[in-house]
């Protein structure tokens, strides 16, 4: 039982490290892709993201 727990913890640590690697690669790719967008394209993407967020979670009042 103890050996099984140790193996699971090792596997969990390995998977977390692999996930971190993929997240870092994704962030680098997203930054490079956004660098090639025009301001109008970035604005359009942001508007779509906001609309999707509102559709998923509903409109939240803004603190101001």
């Amino acid at each position: 039982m103890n050996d099984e727990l140790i193996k699971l913890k090792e596997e969990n640590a390995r998977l977390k490290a692999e996930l971190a690697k993929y997240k870092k690669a994704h962030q680098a790719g997203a930054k490079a892709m956004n660098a090639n967008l025009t301001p109008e394209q970035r604005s359009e993407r942001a508007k779509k993201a906001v609309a999707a967020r509102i559709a998923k979670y509903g409109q939240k009042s803004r603190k101001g």
Side-chain angles (χ1 to χ4, degrees):
M1 173 97 175
N2 199 18
D3 291 337
E4 191 175 317
L5 184 59
I6 292 170
K7 286 181 183 179
L8 288 173
K9 285 183 177 182
E10 289 172 352
E11 178 69 8
N12 188 30
R14 186 188 67 75
L15 290 172
K16 281 184 178 181
E18 196 171 324
L19 178 62
K21 180 178 67 173
Y22 284 116
K23 281 184 177 181
K24 189 172 185 177
H26 172 72
Q27 288 173 346
K31 286 180 183 178
M33 185 171 56
N34 283 334
N36 294 327
L37 294 176
T38 65
E40 292 80 16
Q41 289 170 323
R42 281 195 297 275
S43 179
E44 188 62 31
R45 275 184 137 196
K47 288 177 185 177
K48 286 181 181 179
V50 169
R53 200 173 303 120
I54 290 171
K56 185 172 184 177
Y57 300 111
Q59 177 69 46
K60 304 252 168 100
S61 62
R62 295 182 72 185
K63 294 180 181 178

